[in-house]
Every structure is written in C-alpha cells, then in structure tokens.
Amino acid sequence: MALQQIKVPDIGDYADVDVIEINVQVGDTVEEEDSLITLETDKASMEIPAPMAGKIAAMQVNLGDKVSQGDVILSLEVTEDLSASDDKSAESSKVSDASAPTPIETVSSSSENKTSVTDSSKNEVVSDGKVQASPVVRRLARVLNIDLNNIVATGRKGRITKDDCYAYLKRAVTKMQSGGFGGNALDLLPDPEVDFRAFGEIELQPLSRINKLSASNLSRNWVKIPHVTFYDDADITDLEIFRKNKKLDAEKAGIKLTPLSFLIKAAAKVLEAFPSVNSSLSGDGENLVIKKYYHIGFATDTPKGLMVPVIKNAGQKGIYEISSEIMALAQKARTGKLKPDEMKGATFTISSLGVLGTTAFTPIINMPEVAIMGVSKAAIKPVWNGEKFVPRTLLPLSLSADHRVIDGAMAAKFLTQYARTLSDIREILL
Ligand code: CAO
C-alpha cells in the first residue's frame, strides 16, 4: 500500500474556486474516474475524478473551501501494483494530480461562447445516450437497484443527482405503502428528450436551489390538489382614497403603504368566518385541521425565485404594522436573509401580481393550505350604479380553492365576503 496525495489538476485559468460538493468520505473505496469533489466557478461546475482506484485515507478539503491547481484534495491509499501500473501517476512519486476535471456545464455571457456543454467525450459526465449521471450517482443507483432511466433529473444539464435517486426511492416507497401500484397511479409518458442544439444556438441557465424546490412543490400541489379558481372584482375606490390619504403620513414613518397590507388584514378577518378555508387536510385524510390562528403568506418575487414570507397573526396587527413587516420580510427574501421560521405556518396565501399587470390568473395552492388568493392589477372601469356609469377602481381577484375541502358555494361566499370587506374597509373593524 502507498499513500498518494491527490491534487487539484489543471483547471484552466481559474484560482480560488469554490468546493460545492464533497462526493467521497474517509474510508470510501473509489474506482478510477469516480468523482471526488465538485468545483464551481462563476461560469462552470466541474467534477474532479480520481486518477486511480484506492481507498480514501484522509480528506484535505472541506465544503466551501476555495482551491486552486496543485492544492491537495485528499490522501488515497493505493496498492503498489495500481500506482505502478497507472501511467497517470508518477511511479515513485507520492503525489498525483487528479484526472482532468469533468465539466458539468459552462455558462458564459460572451457571444462566441454560448454553447453550454463541452464536447470532450472523455471528460463528459458519463452518459449512455439517455441519462446523465456521475460515477458516484451510478454506483448509488446500482446499490439501490434503481434504473436511472426512470429518474427525473434535477441536476445541471439534466444530470441525475444523488438527491434525485433518494427522491425517486421515497416516492416509490410512499406509492407502495399507499397501494398505488394497483393501476391508479399516474401513468405518464416520460418527458420529451430534445436536443435543442439541433435547431439553433442555446444557452443553459442553471436553476437556483429555490427554483428547483419551488418546481417540486408546485408540481406536487398542482397534481394532487383539485384546483377550482373563482374570479371576482373588488371595488377598492374608497380603500384607495383612504390609502392615498394616509400614504404621506406612512412615508414619514418610513412605511410604504400599498394595497397588500389591506389585502392581508382583510384576509385574516374574513377567514375567521370561514374556518374550512383556514384549514388543512390531515395527513391520514381522516380529518380537517381547523386552525384558530390566521397567518397570511405573501408571494414575493426574488432574484433567486419565488418565496413566501408569512405575516403571523395578521388579524391582530394594524395596517402600518403589517406594511412594515411586508417591507422587512420582502427585503430579507430578496437578499437571501429570510429565516426558515419566517416562511412557515401560513394558513392562507396571497399572491399579488398587481404591480406587474395581468387581469386574472390561476394561483397554485400552497400545500398544506387549501386556498390561495391571486390579485391582479387594479384599474378604473365604468360601473353601472343603476342610473349611470360611474368610474370605480376595481381590483381583480382570483381565488383558487381545494375542491376536496371547499365546494363552489363556500368559495363563492368567501370570495364575495372578501371583496365586500375590501370595498368597505370598515368591515375589518366589525
Ligand atoms: N393594482 C394596482 N397597483 C398595485 C397593486 C394592484 N393590485 N398592488 C400594488 N400596487 C402598486 C402599489 O400601490 C405601489 O404603487 P404606489 O407606490 O403608487 O402606491 C406599487 O404597485 C408597488 O408595489 P410593490 O410591489 O412595491 O409593493 P406590494 O406591497 O404591492 O408588493 C410584494 C410587495 C413583495 C408582494 C411584491 O413586490 C412582489 O414581489 N410581487 C410579486 C409576487 C409574485 O411574484 N406573485 C406571483 C406568484 S405565482 O408565480
């Protein structure tokens, strides 16, 4: 046995590159070309494969470290035979560069370099024409007896990650436990596989962690909840007059007074009268869990994707207090500083696209909630008052409700009551 120090190989012009994944641990036996660590620059991610087989004796890098060419990654115990027969390692030397890195993707803003995937077949993430997966993931799939062809990839460049394997396994177990193999499960066609490069230039933009999490949650919610969306307009003419009158005062106190704080307050108030709209289905499907608290989530657009901070006990808070909480939470969300607790516990969500436009949309319910209010852009429109048309400010509302819990009559009553409350904000006081 000899101890080889495995170093970062030639990684081009990059230095101080982030270690974003450690794919092995002390005691692991690796084969030649197994991925050791993953590095990420601002333009590319690359896996550093083992230059030879061996057993990991010690790790010299940690997650989040920054490394450059020549830095030691780990110590590898190799049999004398292997190290002697391996052309890539100097026979007598006890130091070896890892194999050439395996690019996962290259994203560049320079126009001549828009192609996102390198062509070096030797260095590609191993692909059998159908799936993209690193050696570590392939080994995991073999151990778990999973066919990689059945797995939905969420990694970069359509790569299957370890988490994808675990998620697949979890779904399979859940399905088995719920008896879902009896022919009732969705038997969907696999996603189409298209080589878009065949039709023109493309560019790969990596999805953020939040994008991927949202995608999984939204897909589950869309598929599992029978959504019905109900539409109405709230006449917010008086509310807007009141808000605009108070706006300057609020600004002096450093508060931005927008319709959203009124929407949140009104939601908490109206939910009190509609317990089933403020509920969740219990996990076993036997009960409706009625919540006696009114925590309102609000969808927030951030550079990294959609986030939903929560105003706790909104009914007990004043409009100014809600407004300043919205400002603080939205700012935290946009700067990546929102704490997990600040996104938990919502009983109902408001998704306001008001500032952006739209006349109506179908918001997707945020499980385990059972309803969500979509809000579009308010506009002044002519309304018939029985004698003539008068200009009124109308706010379009789109309520998506879980039909397992809320039937059409209940949804219509809730939406009407909500619109009425916004039309006469004094209702909140009652
Ligand atoms: N109709 C017309 N104008 C509206 C409006 C509406 N429904 N809602 C807000 N506005 C106005 C505000 O009054 C404000 O204008 P004034 O300063 O003149 O009063 C302006 O639009 C800016 O509002 P804002 O967006 O800064 O603040 P907000 O409180 O309305 O919203 C927040 C805060 C965090 C919800 C919002 O910034 C945001 O991220 N919205 C996107 C949510 C989203 O992506 N939802 C979709 C989810 S589904 O994919």
Side-chain angles (χ1 to χ4, degrees), residues 218 236 240 243-244 247 251 256-261 263 298-302 306-307 309 323 326-327 329-331 334 350-357 361-364 372 375-379 393-396:
L218 290 167
I236 58 163
E240 277 298 86
R243 183 181 72 86
K244 283 175 183 158
K247 212 174 147 200
E251 268 166 23
K256 189 175 166 196
L257 195 58
T258 67
L260 184 60
S261 41
L263 291 165
F298 61 99
T300 303
D301 190 25
T302 81
L306 184 66
M307 301 187 84
S323 296
I326 293 171
M327 286 166 58
L329 290 169
Q331 173 64 10
R334 287 179 182 134
I350 294 181
S351 178
S352 172
L353 284 175
V355 70
L356 302 169
F361 64 106
T362 308
I364 299 179
I372 180 169
V375 180
S376 296
K377 191 174 177 63
T393 305
L394 300 184
L395 180 71

Side-chain angles (χ1 to χ4, degrees), residues 296-319:
I296 313 296
F298 61 99
T300 303
D301 190 25
T302 81
K304 294 208 164 158
L306 184 66
M307 301 187 84
V308 186
V310 180
I311 305 281
K312 305 262 166 60
N313 297 312
Q316 294 164 24
K317 291 178 177 162
I319 294 290

Side-chain angles (χ1 to χ4, degrees), residues 194-346:
V194 180
D195 180 3
F196 298 103
R197 286 172 293 186
F199 306 104
E201 185 179 291
I202 60 164
E203 179 187 349
L204 292 191
Q205 285 192 352
L207 291 169
S208 70
R209 198 178 61 85
I210 293 171
N211 288 147
K212 285 188 263 185
L213 278 173
S214 303
S216 304
N217 280 314
L218 290 167
S219 305
R220 180 202 55 206
N221 300 351
W222 185 247
V223 168
K224 291 187 86 171
I225 302 175
H227 284 68
V228 183
T229 305
F230 304 80
Y231 303 95
D232 201 354
D233 286 336
D235 183 337
I236 58 163
T237 313
D238 297 339
L239 190 156
E240 277 298 86
I241 293 168
F242 177 72
R243 183 181 72 86
K244 283 175 183 158
N245 279 337
K246 293 285 166 200
K247 212 174 147 200
L248 267 182
D249 283 351
E251 268 166 23
K252 281 183 200 149
I255 292 167
K256 189 175 166 196
L257 195 58
T258 67
L260 184 60
S261 41
F262 295 90
L263 291 165
I264 289 176
K265 177 86 179 169
K269 176 71 190 164
V270 178
L271 284 167
E272 283 176 25
F274 291 85
S276 55
V277 184
N278 198 54
S279 74
S280 289
L281 277 168
S282 65
D284 59 7
E286 296 291 326
N287 293 294
L288 205 54
V289 182
I290 307 283
K291 293 159 220 166
K292 305 288 173 73
Y293 49 85
Y294 305 93
H295 300 340
I296 313 296
F298 61 99
T300 303
D301 190 25
T302 81
K304 294 208 164 158
L306 184 66
M307 301 187 84
V308 186
V310 180
I311 305 281
K312 305 262 166 60
N313 297 312
Q316 294 164 24
K317 291 178 177 162
I319 294 290
Y320 281 2
E321 193 180 356
I322 293 175
S323 296
S324 54
E325 268 194 46
I326 293 171
M327 286 166 58
L329 290 169
Q331 173 64 10
K332 279 188 181 180
R334 287 179 182 134
T335 51
K337 295 191 177 132
L338 209 56
K339 297 189 190 117
D341 271 358
E342 291 168 322
M343 289 183 277
K344 282 187 189 157

